Amino acid sequence: MSRPATIIGLKAACVVGFDGTQHVLWRDGEVVFEGSHILFVGRGYAGPVEQWIDYGNALISPGFIDLDALGDLDSTVLTLDNGDERDMGRMWSEEYLARGPRESFSPEEEVFKYRYAFTQLIRNGITTAMPITSMYYREWAETYDEFAAVTQVAGELGLRTYLGPCYMSGMSYWRADGTLGHHFDEAKGLAGLAAAELFFQDFDGTYGGLVRGALLPDRIQTCTPALLQKTAALSRELAAPVRLHCCQGLGEVAMVEQLRGCSPLAWLEKLNLLTPRSLLPHGIYTSGADDLQRLVNGGASLVHCPVVFARDGEALNSFGRYRALGINFALGTDTWPADLLENMRQGLNIARLLEGGNSLTSTLDLYNAATLGGAKALGRDDLGRLAPGAKADISIFNLRGLHLGPLFDPLKNLVLAGRGDDCIASYIDGRCVMQDGQVQGIHYPALQRQAQRQFEKLMRSHAERAAGQPDWKTLFKPAIAFADDYSATAPLSGIDPLL
């Protein structure tokens, strides 16, 4: 017989509860949970509690939901102020495709990058994640065996995840004349979908329900009609969520219009892929009101990732206007750092700049997207909220930091000045996965050293994909030029991090 679950009570200066309709703030609040479920949220719990933990001047919040969570060593940071991607080997060149793509990492290194990324997610108060990685560095796409190992990592760390191997039937590449080409291999795409179906059947619901399956085709422009039609049918059969990146670039929109004769969202509507099970990062480039109405009619959710697009001068126009139409928003990080507070802050500022004022988008709107909106996108009414019967997915944010300034409203202070690493403790499914900022079972210095070694290997791999295979050290430019040629021979890490 299993032992009865321990009843644990948490106390803090502020608690974000849920009244059945919306978040509400409790001062000097309490959260009590037994096993994986919450029993009580409020003040003055009178029942038995085997352990009380008082976090003092802190905010107890529902854990954040990241539905485009970086599961990688971030490669987009390499493009920052670094010129054209055609020249720096992030995307494939025609000659690289002709030689035959290859893996940048070993199987063990592929799995490690998830351990590194999942640790970062937990460290930043994220309790539910649907990860995303780059396919540019792969021989083709992700594999069943790889994700069987990733599932084990998620289970060990205790992160709630929606997993499945990414699959695709095509890849864009740069031709020698500087134009963009598109290579398709239908057989590989369909084999990837079959692997994703097998993974779903084998792993959905494992680790006590922490691991759930999902269908994760790569991007709309890398998928053929047959692959997406079969994805839609399989999603209906399995009741599985589908995440598909779309409307995220002008080149993508032009390609879909050329090949399919309509806008990306109109094409997805024809394929029956605009449903309440559809999660769509990023929704930036749409074809006017008709496209937005398609989202509303189908019930699909947009996954908003403001930080990664703002770096390149792009933005959703606008969060408030989309939301006013009835479009559901979730949030995603999609890049380093894995900080949803930063995405809330930049998302709020960007929305108000584009909206010309502060009336359409509020601080709470962004917080809701990271909690209730993410839960709705997943079809879960037991996530993204602290209420009796909900899952005990809880993040605690320290409010003592000098950088937060004098406290008026804990949420406003955190969104205006907070950081993900203000999260000091996290519980997922009732299990304490982080305490005092330390993710259980992880040695941070060793983790960072391994990540640094792999990142340098990733940088070297850019030379293989770039036209002419230049010296990899010429592909990346520091913000401040080196004073001498020391950089040509010294390791990029220079100083061992976190020693």
Side-chain angles (χ1 to χ4, degrees), residues 342-487:
E342 176 69 11
N343 277 270
M344 290 180 215
R345 175 163 50 249
Q346 292 204 33
L348 179 67
N349 293 339
I350 292 164
R352 289 181 169 183
L353 282 170
L354 293 177
E355 292 158 7
N358 61 11
S359 62
L360 290 180
T361 302
S362 71
T363 305
L364 183 58
D365 291 335
L366 274 298
Y367 182 78
N368 282 341
T371 52
L372 299 172
K376 182 178 180 180
L378 295 172
R380 302 283 298 261
D381 60 6
D382 60 347
L383 299 179
R385 69 209 70 197
L386 300 183
K391 287 290 188 179
D393 288 10
I394 304 164
S395 295
I396 295 95
F397 290 88
N398 181 20
L399 298 176
R400 300 185 187 92
L402 185 64
H403 61 282
L404 293 175
L407 290 175
F408 159 64
D409 174 314
L411 183 58
K412 289 181 178 178
N413 281 81
L414 283 169
V415 171
L416 288 175
R419 305 184 294 256
D421 64 5
D422 287 322
C423 185
I424 54 175
S426 186
Y427 298 79
I428 302 177
D429 216 42
R431 169 188 169 188
C432 182
V433 299
M434 181 177 71
Q435 193 68 270
D436 297 324
Q438 176 62 53
V439 176
Q440 304 295 338
I442 296 295
H443 184 253
Y444 288 173
L447 189 81
Q448 187 72 358
R449 284 192 291 269
Q450 176 64 23
Q452 186 67 44
R453 286 191 292 268
Q454 284 191 209
F455 197 69
E456 291 174 14
K457 185 176 181 179
L458 184 77
M459 294 179 71
R460 290 181 173 90
S461 76
H462 277 243
E464 297 182 30
R465 289 180 296 278
Q469 295 183 268
D471 184 337
W472 69 273
K473 292 186 292 292
T474 67
L475 297 176
F476 308 104
K477 301 175 180 63
I480 300 175
F482 288 107
D484 53 27
D485 64 355
Y486 176 76
S487 62

Side-chain angles (χ1 to χ4, degrees), residues 4-9 48-52:
T6 301
I7 299 177
I8 296 175
V49 173
E50 295 170 62
Q51 181 184 13
W52 280 105

Side-chain angles (χ1 to χ4, degrees), residues 66 69-73 111-127 129 131 150 153-161 336-339 420-421 423 426 428 433-435 437-448 451 498:
D66 186 343
L70 184 69
D72 218 334
L73 303 183
V111 175
F112 169 81
K113 73 185 187 185
Y114 279 95
R115 184 177 296 278
Y116 182 79
F118 288 175
T119 300
Q120 299 276 4
L121 296 172
I122 293 172
R123 183 67 191 86
N124 283 272
I126 293 161
T127 57
V150 171
V153 172
E156 289 174 1
L157 293 175
L159 181 65
R160 190 180 301 281
T161 49
W336 180 90
D339 188 343
D421 64 5
C423 185
S426 186
I428 302 177
V433 299
M434 181 177 71
Q435 193 68 270
Q438 176 62 53
V439 176
Q440 304 295 338
I442 296 295
H443 184 253
Y444 288 173
L447 189 81
Q448 187 72 358
L498 296 184

Side-chain angles (χ1 to χ4, degrees), residues 234-401:
L234 187 59
S235 172
R236 290 192 298 270
E237 177 186 338
L238 300 176
V242 177
R243 186 188 61 199
L244 180 64
H245 288 68
C246 68
C247 308
Q248 62 176 329
L250 291 174
E252 168 221 312
V253 173
M255 177 185 173
V256 172
E257 289 177 342
Q258 177 187 3
L259 294 179
R260 316 304 174 200
C262 58
S263 73
L265 289 177
W267 190 41
L268 293 184
E269 184 180 50
K270 292 178 181 178
L271 295 168
N272 296 314
L273 273 172
L274 292 184
T275 78
R277 293 185 301 275
S278 300
L279 289 72
L280 307 176
H282 298 272
I284 292 177
Y285 295 97
T286 61
S287 298
D290 288 347
D291 262 359
L292 298 182
Q293 192 60 46
R294 289 184 175 99
L295 290 171
V296 175
N297 293 344
S301 295
L302 288 183
V303 184
H304 185 38
C305 308
V307 168
V308 71
F309 280 89
R311 288 177 183 169
D312 288 327
E314 298 173 293
L316 184 77
N317 190 12
S318 72
F319 184 95
R321 295 189 183 104
Y322 279 36
R323 182 179 164 276
L325 292 172
I327 295 170
N328 182 57
F329 273 107
L331 283 191
T333 48
D334 197 24
T335 188
W336 180 90
D339 188 343
L340 280 181
L341 284 177
E342 176 69 11
N343 277 270
M344 290 180 215
R345 175 163 50 249
Q346 292 204 33
L348 179 67
N349 293 339
I350 292 164
R352 289 181 169 183
L353 282 170
L354 293 177
E355 292 158 7
N358 61 11
S359 62
L360 290 180
T361 302
S362 71
T363 305
L364 183 58
D365 291 335
L366 274 298
Y367 182 78
N368 282 341
T371 52
L372 299 172
K376 182 178 180 180
L378 295 172
R380 302 283 298 261
D381 60 6
D382 60 347
L383 299 179
R385 69 209 70 197
L386 300 183
K391 287 290 188 179
D393 288 10
I394 304 164
S395 295
I396 295 95
F397 290 88
N398 181 20
L399 298 176
R400 300 185 187 92

Side-chain angles (χ1 to χ4, degrees), residues 74-76 78-79 82 85-93 96 99 104 136-137 455-467 469-473 475-476:
D74 190 24
S75 56
T76 60
L78 295 175
T79 69
N82 209 28
E85 284 193 1
R86 287 178 292 185
D87 300 324
M88 54 90 72
R90 185 164 185 261
M91 290 182 64
W92 295 5
S93 67
Y96 177 72
R99 287 196 309 271
S104 299
Y136 293 132
Y137 302 89
F455 197 69
E456 291 174 14
K457 185 176 181 179
L458 184 77
M459 294 179 71
R460 290 181 173 90
S461 76
H462 277 243
E464 297 182 30
R465 289 180 296 278
Q469 295 183 268
D471 184 337
W472 69 273
K473 292 186 292 292
L475 297 176
F476 308 104

